[in-house]
Amino acid sequence: TVISVVVQTLCLQVHQKTCNGGLYGRPFIESFEETPMLLAVLTYMGYGILTVFGYLRDFLREWKIEKCHIAREREEQRDFVPLYQDFENFYTRNLYMRIRDGWNRPICSVPGAKMDLVERVSHDYNWTFSYTGRAVKDVVNMGSYNYLGFAENAGPCTNAAAAVTLKCGVGVCSTRQEMGNLDRHEELEKLTARFLGVEAAMAFGMGFATNSMNIPALTGKGCLILSDELNHASLVLGARLSGSTIRVFKHNNMQSLEKLLRDAIVHGQPRTHRPWKKILILVEGIYSMEGSIVRLPEILALKKKYKAYLYLDEAHSIGALGANGRGVLDYFGLDPSDVDIMMGTFTKSFGAAGGYIGGRKELIDYLRCHSHSAVYATSMSAPVVEQIITSMKCIMGEDGTTIGRERIRQLAENTTYFRTRLQELGFIIYGNKDSPVIPMMLYLPAKIGAFVREMLKRNIGVVVVGFPATPIIESRARFCISAAHTKETLDMALAAISEVGDVLRVKYSQPRVPDARRRPFDETTYDGWED
């Protein structure tokens, strides 16, 4: 009995430590394996060599020895102030152009579990492309944010969107405040508020503008914005446009955030030391480059402690996390009323376009009058609105089926399976164990282009990301898992990834191998004691 009590106590202590002092109702497990020192050195050397050769090629172009494809100022405008700095394009013309064929590939089908790519070739080292008129068929899509598989051209969402197109057309040609407010817009906002569990919600036609145009309406001069260092460009732009003071805290680091909050309360505004008018914390639900999930319970605790406001961007987490697909709040089992501004997009899990903001009714009424995106932007297209309504009802189960819940469960299973298999194959994987965004580290610049080309040869379409979108030594391939992926499709992709990983030698992970001499005692294999 005593041993049992001790074991239970130890297990409870371990669980509380894993769950950060009891703030979490479930273990919060993320993996960010350290970059091997040799790879870091080789990566810097690779970029250094590319830079040296870039300067050499620029010298040859200047003396007309090598043909110059880059944009240049006209001779008659030599005395003008240049429209752009030539040096700013150094990376683009000398590094990016070498692997440009790995990006911006046009597709000619629905971006579902499989897709068709337009075949293209380049005869001038990726400066220009020509199209052959053929298509690469049935490429496994491992890059689209189609988390719940609603990006499809058949089914209830497609039928509903087609029907409303015949009734309302494809364009509104006016703003919501003039002649562009449809009954479908009203229904969408009521449905979104009910889905999020908030008093009211407002829809916008563009996800990027939902952040960049609404943050300036909420904060201004004399306000302080605390932004995660890995926040999306739309959040960064919105913060800058607001005119507020911006301070950045380390990614998902609560000690860094609390220090900034404490200093803000103690010292106030610079020079005058007056109290800040308001303090706004900007975070995302899932960070699309890292695959990490925000430590929301801890952030909410700090928000309440220091009387700050919280702006939560759920672009990648809404629909993709939680037992009911309601995002990171559902994932952690938290109260939606604790988040002051709930933002998200319809471009990922809902297979549509646009974004939303949810919260208290007073907040939404204020934004309807003061948000530039609401006052000046054209209304959302009726077919897009219908796509969102139908897919959201499917997720909520209001369509009378269990398709939505099954897709949420399938996405979670696919995510766990794919992450586990990649780690078993020896790749370095970043992010949270439940995140459908799975970055796989490549590091060396030469392997960025090589990986995407080799994968396409095996009919697998992937997204690769490098500097300056990531730190210089953290280039990666980024896989996005979908509920539309079957186990056979994932196995096909894993086999190709493993094969390419062996060819390019990108299986960098160094798991700790247990010592065979310390294996547990097994009576079935005991042959006698040895000295």
Side-chain angles (χ1 to χ4, degrees):
T1 304
V2 174
I3 294 176
S4 177
V5 171
V6 172
V7 170
Q8 290 179 4
T9 303
L10 289 174
C11 290
L12 180 61
Q13 290 175 352
V14 170
H15 177 73
Q16 288 179 341
K17 183 178 180 181
T18 305
C19 296
N20 296 289
L23 286 175
Y24 295 78
R26 58 193 300 167
F28 190 82
I29 302 173
E30 291 189 338
S31 173
F32 296 94
E33 188 173 332
E34 187 176 358
T35 304
M37 179 60 68
L38 177 61
L39 283 172
V41 173
L42 291 176
T43 301
Y44 280 118
M45 289 178 59
Y47 277 106
I49 293 171
L50 287 171
T51 302
V52 170
F53 275 89
Y55 279 113
L56 176 60
R57 295 186 69 186
D58 279 352
F59 175 80
L60 296 176
R61 293 180 187 124
E62 184 69 25
W63 289 92
K64 312 298 183 183
I65 299 174
E66 179 182 333
K67 185 177 180 180
C68 183
H69 297 275
I70 60 176
R72 288 180 175 272
E73 299 284 355
R74 291 181 294 180
E75 290 295 330
E76 57 267 28
Q77 293 180 326
R78 285 290 184 180
D79 296 331
F80 285 40
V81 177
L83 288 174
Y84 57 89
Q85 295 296 323
D86 187 59
F87 182 77
E88 293 177 358
N89 297 320
F90 178 86
Y91 178 88
T92 301
R93 64 178 179 265
N94 291 308
L95 283 75
Y96 171 70
M97 281 298 173
R98 291 173 173 267
I99 54 177
R100 183 179 168 220
D101 57 307
W103 286 273
N104 306 321
R105 287 187 174 273
I107 68 172
C108 52
S109 69
V110 172
K114 292 186 178 181
M115 59 185 176
D116 297 338
L117 296 181
V118 177
E119 188 179 70
R120 64 182 183 179
V121 294
S122 177
H123 302 290
D124 54 4
Y125 303 101
N126 295 335
W127 284 98
T128 61
F129 293 99
S130 59
Y131 299 95
T132 65
R134 297 187 297 269
V136 184
K137 298 287 187 179
D138 295 327
V139 177
V140 176
N141 183 4
M142 299 301 299
S144 294
Y145 302 135
N146 183 25
Y147 297 127
L148 294 180
F150 284 114
E152 51 194 0
N153 57 2
C157 293
T158 305
N159 296 336
V164 81
T165 302
L166 295 175
K167 178 183 178 181
C168 301
V170 295
V172 182
C173 304
S174 181
T175 64
R176 291 283 299 276
Q177 293 189 350
E178 295 173 319
M179 302 296 291
N181 191 31
L182 303 178
D183 59 341
R184 309 309 292 163
H185 293 132
E186 301 283 347
E187 181 180 349
L188 170 62
E189 291 178 343
K190 292 177 182 177
L191 182 65
T192 302
R194 195 163 74 249
F195 178 65
L196 298 174
V198 296
E199 293 181 6
M202 186 175 181
F204 302 88
M206 182 181 180
F208 191 98
T210 306
N211 280 330
S212 61
M213 293 290 99
N214 282 297
I215 294 175
L218 296 171
T219 64
K221 189 176 180 180
C223 299
L224 175 65
I225 292 179
L226 303 180
S227 177
D228 190 291
E229 65 179 348
L230 296 183
N231 274 342
H232 189 263
S234 59
L235 290 169
V236 175
L237 178 60
R240 290 175 176 174
L241 290 175
S242 70
S244 305
T245 301
I246 305 170
R247 291 175 185 164
V248 178
F249 61 92
K250 295 179 181 179
H251 175 55
N252 251 353
N253 189 313
M254 297 303 105
Q255 290 75 24
S256 175
L257 175 59
E258 184 168 18
K259 183 179 184 303
L260 291 178
L261 283 167
R262 190 185 301 114
D263 290 346
I265 298 298
V266 172
H267 300 295
Q269 300 183 41
R271 294 189 300 275
T272 64
H273 300 292
R274 292 177 180 173
W276 295 100
K277 293 180 180 178
K278 67 182 78 166
I279 300 175
L280 181 66
I281 303 171
L282 297 184
V283 293
E284 295 185 50
I286 292 179
Y287 291 84
S288 59
M289 282 297 173
E290 302 299 309
S292 55
I293 297 176
V294 64
R295 295 179 176 271
L296 191 57
E298 296 175 73
I299 289 180
L300 285 177
L302 291 175
K303 162 193 171 306
K304 294 176 181 178
K305 179 179 179 181
Y306 292 98
K307 305 296 188 293
Y309 294 100
L310 178 60
Y311 186 109
L312 175 63
D313 180 345
E314 290 215 79
H316 289 269
S317 55
I318 193 69
L321 285 181
N324 303 299
R326 287 180 166 87
V328 70
L329 285 161
D330 186 21
Y331 176 77
F332 287 116
L334 300 172
D335 187 354
S337 63
D338 288 337
V339 178
D340 302 289
I341 305 103
M342 294 179 63
M343 178 271 171
T345 63
F346 301 121
T347 58
K348 281 86 176 175
S349 295
F350 302 95
Y356 67 82
I357 282 185
R360 297 177 59 189
K361 187 177 184 301
E362 293 84 354
L363 168 70
I364 303 305
D365 291 341
Y366 173 83
L367 289 177
R368 291 191 192 281
C369 299
H370 294 83
S371 169
H372 286 78
S373 186
V375 176
Y376 299 110
T378 304
S379 303
M380 294 178 68
S381 171
V384 175
V385 173
E386 196 65 26
Q387 165 76 18
I388 302 168
I389 291 174
T390 310
S391 59
M392 190 176 292
K393 286 183 176 180
C394 185
I395 296 172
M396 299 171 69
E398 294 187 4
D399 61 339
T401 70
T402 59
I403 294 176
R405 184 169 293 274
E406 290 171 1
R407 293 193 183 196
I408 294 169
R409 177 186 54 79
Q410 188 64 50
L411 174 62
E413 291 181 0
N414 288 351
T415 297
T416 302
Y417 176 72
F418 198 79
R419 275 188 174 274
T420 303
R421 291 289 293 121
L422 283 178
Q423 290 174 331
E424 291 173 351
L425 290 171
F427 296 102
I428 293 181
I429 305 301
Y430 275 10
N432 191 284
K433 68 179 183 67
D434 295 320
S435 170
V437 179
I438 306 176
M440 189 189 84
M441 307 311 293
L442 299 175
Y443 298 114
L444 299 174
K447 295 185 178 181
I448 302 174
F451 184 81
V452 70
R453 292 172 190 141
E454 290 296 321
M455 290 298 293
L456 189 57
K457 289 179 183 178
R458 292 158 176 80
N459 239 36
I460 311 292
V462 300
V463 172
V464 288
V465 191
F467 179 81
T470 66
I472 196 167
I473 60 170
E474 292 187 9
S475 299
R476 65 197 67 180
R478 186 184 62 180
F479 305 110
C480 294
I481 306 303
S482 171
H485 290 136
T486 63
K487 187 175 182 298
E488 292 73 20
T489 302
L490 294 179
D491 286 336
M492 184 192 309
L494 286 165
I497 294 169
S498 180
E499 183 181 349
V500 175
D502 290 329
V503 172
L504 300 181
R505 298 188 178 185
V506 294
K507 295 182 178 180
Y508 301 125
S509 184
Q510 300 174 348
R512 298 179 63 182
V513 180
D515 192 342
R517 294 172 298 179
R518 297 183 180 179
R519 65 183 184 275
F521 177 72
D522 186 355
E523 294 181 353
T524 61
T525 59
Y526 172 68
D527 294 326
W529 298 105
E530 295 180 1
D531 293 334

